[in-house]
Amino acid sequence: MAADGRATTDGQAPGGYRVGIDVGGTFTDLAAVGPDGRTMYAKVPSVPADPSVAVLAALSLAFEQSSGLTDLPASLAAGAPPAGWIERFAHGTTVATNALLERAGARTALVTTHGFRDVIEIGRQNRPSLYDLTRDRPASLVPRELRFTVRERCGPDGVLEPLTAAEIDRVVERVAGVEGLAAVAVCLLFSFAWPEHELAVADALRARLPGVTVVASSEVLPAFREYERFATATADAYLTPKLSSYLTRLRGRLAEAGIGEPLVMQSSGGVAALAEAAAHAATCVLSGPAGGVVGAAYVAGLSGVRDLLTFDMGGTSTDVAPVLDGQALTTSESVLAGVPIMLATVDVHSVSAGGGSIAWVDSGGALRVGPASAGADPGPACYQRGGREATVTDADLVLGYLGDGASLGGEVTLSTAAATAALERLGARLGLSALTAAAGVVAVADAEMTRALRVVSVERGLDPRALALVAFGGAGGTHACALAEALGMTTVLVPRAAGVLSALGLALGDVRRDHAAPLRGRLGEVDLAGAFDRLTAAALQASGGADQAARAHQRDGSPRTGVPREPGDELRLDRRVDCRYVGQAHELTVSAGPIPAEVGGDPEPAGAEPADAANRVLAAAVRTAFEAEHSRRYGHLAPERDVEVVAVRLVATLPGVRPALAAEPADPAALRSRRRVWLDGAWHEVDVVARAARGAGAELPGPAVVEFAEATTLVRPGWTARVDPVGTLVLMHDRDDV
């Protein structure tokens, strides 16, 4: 079947597809963009034991649909599209995320400066819950018996205690004696400024322990604050063996099927070569959610919406993020599962409130939802695959938001009877009927997701009432109107590819590398221009022929070396600065603008030195950007105070393809039906309309249900849905005061 729903008649698959595959906890999604800009989607159940199995299944299904073939050869049925079908393949994975959440990473040791072995356990003086004295922080990734110290010391001005060869040999032999060791993090004091000691220890460990992952903190995060640097480097070492093993296995399976290796989505929202991702797993802890934000920003921009909140409700979790002026906001202060990951990440906030989140009753008799999830196996009770616990999906089905007998991913058929039985068991513990329990489960999940949206809007200095909500994921459209009402939002967008939007974002993603360097001093006194010149040289070298790791696919399916490029693409270099008012404890990252197109930048004043002129221009731009961001985030300014620079960053990107989307014509064969839906304490008989039945300009007043191929949207009372010219379902509230 072609992207527009028509089967091809010549039995040949069109080539040149740019494919994105997102492996989630419950489903694995595929989006493919053809050379003519048309799109195609597929969804299959995930295989938690080996996610690569689902990747191949999704590729096989997509090829079958694109070719119109129904009697596939065995090789194609196993996931082997012919050469030329895939031009570029990008992959988003939760392997690193889940390993961190579940504490299922590699057996890891830590080598640090003598006296600092407990830094990763002491952390900062903050608590997970301010008033709950029974809660503790998650255990550190490296137990104390696997933390080793080396006698050396550097300070801000250089070496204080030299590192001897004998000391290196001593600590290396102690680490080598650890049984079953898979990774080592080397984190020495002040190595961000003076990395020689740290690199010497790391090199000795690599020589002594071939096959063991060795991570030096100065290579991963050359930034001050020892706890955050140690924690990030330790997480990188802890996660890399597992992610590397998975990606290597995936590469092998794809090679057997005749498919080149994929690019991998990073937490920053850009894709990188498989070898780069496999070498540093900490860059991929938000791989899947980042793809969703990229896809949402792009599709919303086609609809003329550039300021928005993304709402991705999947089977295991819900991810939300802000997008301003069409750009996803990034941060270098993420915390996942209690571990600081101080690398560039899309500013995503995640909560355990997905469709598969299990409802339960706590010791006080209160109804709770999550964090435990039914996942893909066995899944919610309504999947009829052995699950017995009630989930959010079961509640949605009992309330009529989903249809009895609906098919998910081609392999799951929903059963209202099974969902009702699970909710009856839950309700019995609460003294409630199955219906009332279902309404309670949805209310609790909605409250959790509303809090998440407040975190990325109100707590970031953004007024959600001035933003649109872009809902996607399998369950996003089902809950979007209720969340928008709770936040006072009047516009909801549900893209045509809502059920697989993260995969679409992967297919469209930019190739991106982030470069950073420490730079301490007052704005106007530090050499910003020189620091950016050094980062630019490093970025150009990494993006040129010297780096042969990144791969893409040509039309004939063969790999090409070098950073993937499109004809006519230009490398874009964006400068950013971490800065703060002198005396503040935390900094903001602000833009210093792109690298000028021509070397030399702006004209220099007569008699001025080039470096002085460049620094004055940069300092003025940074001060303006910092004060604007400080005012937005914190609501006040201190113009009399000096601004201090902490670090500089350079983001190098090669833009991905941005196809034009258009609404498909209405399918006259799509059927319309009616069913009962529980809304605001009463049953309503509502229209149930297939999304394919609505062409551009078609309107549908609520209450109603719109069924997509991969997702469902509930149009609540007071809302009207309209299909815009690019195929997005735009829901508008009928009143100004939601």
Side-chain angles (χ1 to χ4, degrees):
M1 182 177 293
D4 59 2
R6 298 191 305 267
T8 58
T9 58
D10 58 5
Q12 299 297 318
Y17 275 97
R18 301 174 68 87
V19 177
I21 294 184
D22 176 44
V23 178
T26 306
F27 288 101
T28 293
D29 301 332
L30 177 146
V33 182
D36 56 359
R38 295 190 299 174
T39 54
M40 177 186 60
Y41 314 112
K43 181 184 287 283
V44 299
S46 293
V47 182
D50 187 353
S52 64
V53 173
V55 171
L56 289 169
L59 285 168
S60 177
L61 177 60
F63 174 71
E64 181 180 349
Q65 291 177 342
S66 71
S67 65
L69 299 175
T70 57
D71 185 18
L72 292 177
S75 61
L76 297 185
W85 188 77
I86 296 176
E87 178 182 341
R88 193 188 82 158
F89 174 22
H91 179 41
T93 174
T94 57
V95 169
T97 313
N98 293 339
L100 190 58
L101 292 172
E102 299 166 6
R103 291 298 194 266
R107 183 169 170 82
T108 303
L110 170 68
V111 176
T112 188
T113 302
H114 184 71
F116 289 83
R117 70 186 294 197
D118 296 323
V119 163
I120 63 170
E121 188 165 354
I122 295 171
R124 297 293 175 190
Q125 297 303 310
N126 52 356
R127 298 199 299 268
S129 179
L130 186 59
Y131 300 107
D132 186 354
L133 300 182
T134 66
R135 288 188 60 187
D136 200 357
R137 287 175 297 206
S140 61
L141 301 179
V142 180
R144 198 168 195 268
E145 64 270 17
L146 295 184
R147 303 176 206 154
F148 304 93
T149 64
V150 58
R151 291 194 175 276
E152 64 82 40
R153 188 66 177 267
C154 290
D157 298 320
V159 176
L160 300 176
E161 180 179 352
L163 174 65
T164 65
E167 186 68 3
I168 293 176
D169 292 341
R170 182 192 65 81
V171 74
V172 167
E173 288 307 312
R174 289 199 62 195
V175 173
V178 176
E179 186 176 350
L181 189 68
V184 184
V186 185
C187 307
L188 304 186
L189 207 62
F190 280 96
S191 63
F192 67 93
W194 308 97
E196 292 80 10
H197 286 184
E198 187 174 89
L199 295 178
V201 174
D203 289 343
L205 284 166
R206 288 168 180 148
R208 178 67 175 81
L209 300 171
V212 173
T213 297
V214 178
V215 172
S217 71
S218 56
E219 296 173 338
V220 176
L221 182 65
F224 81 132
R225 291 199 178 101
E226 64 274 10
Y227 168 58
E228 287 77 9
R229 178 164 49 85
F230 287 17
T232 300
T234 301
D236 193 51
Y238 180 77
L239 298 172
T240 292
K242 188 158 190 174
L243 180 63
S244 178
S245 175
Y246 163 67
L247 291 177
T248 300
R249 186 167 62 251
L250 175 63
R251 176 171 54 192
R253 290 194 174 214
L254 292 172
E256 290 174 1
I259 302 171
E261 67 183 43
L263 301 169
V264 180
M265 175 60 77
Q266 299 174 293
S267 304
S268 61
V271 295
L274 183 144
E276 292 180 42
H280 292 293
T283 63
C284 300
V285 291
L286 291 175
S287 174
V293 177
V294 171
Y298 170 66
V299 175
L302 295 179
S303 296
V305 176
R306 297 181 60 80
D307 298 320
L308 54 115
L309 298 178
T310 68
F311 167 49
D312 177 7
M313 184 177 179
T316 306
S317 64
T318 290
D319 306 304
V320 297
V323 173
L324 296 181
D325 195 26
Q327 298 296 315
L329 301 188
T330 58
T331 180
S332 58
E333 298 180 355
S334 295
V335 178
L336 184 63
V339 179
I341 306 292
M342 309 306 281
L343 302 172
T345 63
V346 172
D347 192 7
V348 172
H349 181 65
S350 301
V351 292
S352 300
S357 295
I358 294 173
W360 53 288
V361 181
D362 67 15
S363 58
L367 177 62
R368 306 284 294 277
V369 175
S373 172
D377 185 15
C382 61
Y383 284 12
Q384 305 179 84
R385 303 174 73 175
R388 290 180 52 81
E389 300 294 332
T391 67
V392 176
T393 297
D394 293 308
D396 286 341
L397 184 58
V398 168
L399 297 175
Y401 304 160
L402 304 176
D404 185 32
S407 176
L408 300 181
E411 297 184 21
V412 174
T413 300
L414 302 185
S415 168
T416 299
T420 301
L423 284 157
E424 284 175 346
R425 291 190 290 271
L426 176 69
R429 298 195 290 272
L430 295 164
L432 302 174
S433 67
L435 177 63
T436 306
V441 169
V442 169
V444 171
D446 284 353
E448 184 72 13
M449 293 183 290
T450 299
R451 282 193 291 270
L453 287 166
R454 290 186 188 279
V455 167
V456 297
S457 58
V458 177
E459 294 186 19
R460 302 285 196 274
L462 303 173
D463 184 351
R465 296 171 297 181
L467 307 173
L469 183 66
V470 180
F472 54 102
T478 306
H479 295 257
C481 287
L483 303 190
E485 289 175 12
L487 293 167
M489 305 173 76
T490 59
T491 304
V492 172
L493 277 65
V494 184
R496 175 65 184 84
V500 295
L501 196 66
S502 292
L504 181 61
L506 294 170
L508 303 176
D510 298 337
V511 177
R512 169 170 170 155
R513 282 191 180 92
D514 289 84
H515 305 265
L519 183 68
R520 295 291 303 277
R522 299 193 179 218
L523 188 63
E525 297 178 3
V526 294
D527 184 11
L528 281 174
F532 280 122
D533 284 345
R534 291 187 290 275
L535 287 181
T536 299
L540 292 175
Q541 181 181 20
S543 298
D547 181 3
Q548 298 298 312
R551 296 178 183 272
H553 302 278
Q554 300 194 58
R555 287 294 175 88
D556 63 359
S558 62
R560 65 181 181 189
T561 56
V563 173
R565 293 178 182 267
E566 297 301 320
D569 276 351
E570 296 294 335
L571 183 68
R572 187 174 66 236
L573 301 173
D574 294 313
R575 297 173 292 191
R576 298 176 185 178
V577 179
D578 293 358
C579 50
R580 61 192 182 185
Y581 283 127
V582 172
Q584 286 184 322
H586 296 281
E587 53 277 350
L588 295 172
T589 301
V590 301
S591 173
I595 294 290
E598 297 182 1
V599 178
D602 296 328
E604 303 162 10
E609 293 294 329
D612 292 342
N615 275 314
R616 279 199 298 273
V617 172
L618 280 170
V622 169
R623 177 90 196 200
T624 299
F626 171 77
E627 291 185 336
E629 181 65 8
H630 196 282
S631 178
R632 184 183 71 80
R633 288 289 297 269
Y634 304 121
H636 68 91
L637 294 174
E640 72 284 355
R641 296 174 66 178
D642 286 340
V643 173
E644 179 184 26
V645 173
V646 171
V648 290
R649 303 175 185 272
L650 192 70
V651 181
T653 55
L654 287 167
V657 170
R658 296 293 187 265
L661 303 180
E664 299 168 1
D667 181 0
L671 299 179
R672 183 176 186 143
S673 62
R674 291 179 67 81
R675 71 167 175 255
R676 292 203 312 163
V677 174
W678 183 263
L679 294 168
D680 303 325
W683 287 108
H684 297 257
E685 194 78 14
V686 308
D687 287 334
V688 179
V689 181
R691 169 62 187 83
R694 317 298 290 184
E699 292 192 356
L700 179 67
V705 173
V706 181
E707 294 185 335
F708 292 63
E710 309 87 12
T712 299
T713 295
L714 173 65
V715 186
R716 281 183 48 80
W719 292 80
T720 298
R722 177 182 57 82
V723 179
D724 74 2
V726 300
T728 295
L729 190 67
V730 180
L731 286 71
M732 301 292 295
H733 201 276
D734 297 340
R735 303 186 309 274
D736 292 332
D737 54 336
V738 177

